[in-house]
């Protein structure tokens, strides 16, 4: 059986940070829907241009295009053993679509670590987030600074502050999360797949808790 892990949590919870650590440890493909949209944006594809409108407003990109994009990504050869999904699903319709696409191959979601962080902390985290242009590695000016200001430790590319990490857009994204994504907590809890992790701990402690949860279920 392939392994499919869904990382759930509000914007700024630490999904991207943890996904990089866990996917490397477990040798699983890391699929970030946000990174896929940003790659499309950089390449100025039709999908990228469409997504930009929603991303800039802090809203979700419509389900049909998001689902099609992730489905195509999951068919790539590096996902043979499964994947670590970061930022997808984000709506009940996306969760149902994921379950259906996996069921076609007699697969299913293996586990859902839910990184829980209160709203006040999220605003501070996103306000200080710096992202790497090349591969989406993330830093924080206070909590996880790069060795050299403005440069990614891992690949040397430029660090930038995302347009949608501005205070107004962040508040909108958090509202959208509570409205459209938070229902997935109960959805996966009812399926007995959810483990709530305290995301206010240090990056290393959170990673340790996610790994020990996954070791029990994988
Ligand atoms: P998400 O992908 O859920 O939006 P990120 O992984 O991009 O979250 O993290 C958001 C910001 O918070 C980044 O600047 C990151 O460096 C920082 N961060 C992530 N995890 C922690 C943590 N446990 N403690 C403090 N800061 C963190
Ligand atoms: P964060 O890391 O802060 O949670 P992401 O990089 O995951 O943010 O997402 C950035 C934006 O990309 C979202 O605000 C939304 O517009 C779009 N997006 C990403 N994933 C999805 C998804 N699964 N469904 C719809 N829109 C998405």
């Amino acid at each position: 059986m392939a392994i499919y892990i869904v990382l759930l949590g509000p914007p700024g919870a630490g999904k991207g940070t943890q996904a990089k650590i866990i996917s490397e440890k477990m040798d699983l493909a890391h699929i970030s829907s946000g990174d896929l949209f940003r790659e499309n944006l950089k390449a100025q594809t039709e999908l990228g241009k469409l997504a930009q409108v929603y991303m800039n407003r802090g809203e979700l990109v419509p389900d049909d295009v998001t689902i099609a994009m992730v489905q195509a990504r999951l068919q790539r050869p590096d996902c043979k053993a499964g994947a670590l999904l970061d930022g997808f699903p984000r709506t009940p319709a996306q969760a149902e679509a994921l379950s259906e696409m996996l069921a076609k191959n007699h697969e299913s979601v293996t586990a859902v670590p839910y990184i829980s962080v209160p709203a006040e902390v999220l605003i501070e985290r996103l306000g200080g987030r710096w992202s790497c242009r090349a591969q989406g590695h993330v830093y924080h000016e206070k909590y996880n600074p790069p060795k050299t200001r403005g440069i990614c430790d891992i690949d040397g590319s430029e660090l930038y502050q995302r347009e949608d990490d501005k205070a107004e857009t962040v508040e909108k994204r958090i509202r959208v999360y509570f409205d459209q994504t938070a229902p997935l907590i109960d959805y996966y809890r009812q399926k007995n797949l959810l483990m709530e992790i305290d995301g206010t701990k240090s990056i290393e402690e959170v990673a340790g808790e996610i790994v020990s949860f996954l070791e029990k279920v994988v």
Side-chain angles (χ1 to χ4, degrees):
M1 285 284 272
I3 296 167
Y4 293 94
I5 295 161
V6 169
L7 270 187
L8 201 59
K15 300 182 298 299
T17 301
Q18 296 299 331
K20 295 275 183 214
I21 300 172
I22 313 276
S23 61
E24 201 159 299
K25 234 191 181 87
M26 298 184 66
D27 200 18
L28 272 183
H30 170 199
I31 300 183
S32 155
S33 43
D35 284 351
L36 292 174
F37 285 129
R38 282 183 289 276
E39 281 162 24
N40 273 281
L41 198 64
K42 206 151 100 184
Q44 282 292 294
T45 66
E46 287 308 311
L47 172 63
K49 288 183 213 166
L50 172 82
Q52 183 174 31
V53 178
Y54 295 93
M55 293 169 86
N56 285 350
R57 287 197 219 127
E59 291 171 6
L60 295 183
V61 180
D63 282 335
D64 53 347
V65 288
T66 304
I67 291 165
M69 174 182 76
V70 173
Q71 183 157 25
R73 179 66 188 84
L74 280 171
Q75 280 159 5
R76 299 229 310 248
D78 63 331
C79 297
K80 253 197 155 52
L84 178 56
L85 292 160
D86 155 19
F88 180 92
R90 249 174 160 101
T91 64
Q94 292 179 15
E96 281 298 327
L98 174 65
S99 157
E100 281 165 25
M101 67 179 95
L102 296 181
K104 281 195 185 123
N105 297 323
H106 311 287
E107 304 282 5
S108 62
V109 171
T110 313
V112 183
Y114 157 48
I115 309 178
S116 159
V117 174
E120 322 76 86
V121 179
L122 300 174
I123 294 170
E124 206 205 347
R125 285 202 185 165
L126 295 174
R129 171 159 72 179
W130 288 79
S131 307
C132 123
R133 287 232 187 257
Q135 298 181 68
H137 296 114
V138 287
Y139 297 86
H140 190 279
E141 52 195 28
K142 204 152 106 194
Y143 306 122
N144 183 27
K147 290 197 184 78
T148 311
R149 200 183 150 78
I151 308 281
C152 177
D153 292 351
I154 299 160
D155 58 36
S157 75
E158 182 202 10
L159 301 180
Y160 73 106
Q161 288 192 289
R162 277 168 44 180
E163 209 31 52
D164 60 343
D165 279 347
K166 284 192 302 217
E168 319 84 83
T169 323
V170 162
E171 281 171 23
K172 173 77 177 287
R173 284 162 59 206
I174 293 172
R175 279 204 303 278
V176 166
Y177 165 81
F178 281 111
D179 204 34
Q180 301 192 51
T181 309
L184 296 185
I185 300 168
D186 269 344
Y187 174 89
Y188 284 119
R189 189 180 278 133
Q190 277 164 17
K191 293 185 185 292
N192 241 327
L193 295 172
L194 194 91
M195 169 63 115
E196 182 164 349
I197 309 276
D198 177 1
T200 61
K201 296 185 178 170
S202 72
I203 291 174
E204 294 71 25
E205 284 172 306
V206 174
E209 289 193 12
I210 296 177
V211 168
S212 62
F213 163 52
L214 294 177
E215 278 169 354
K216 285 189 206 125
V217 292
V218 165

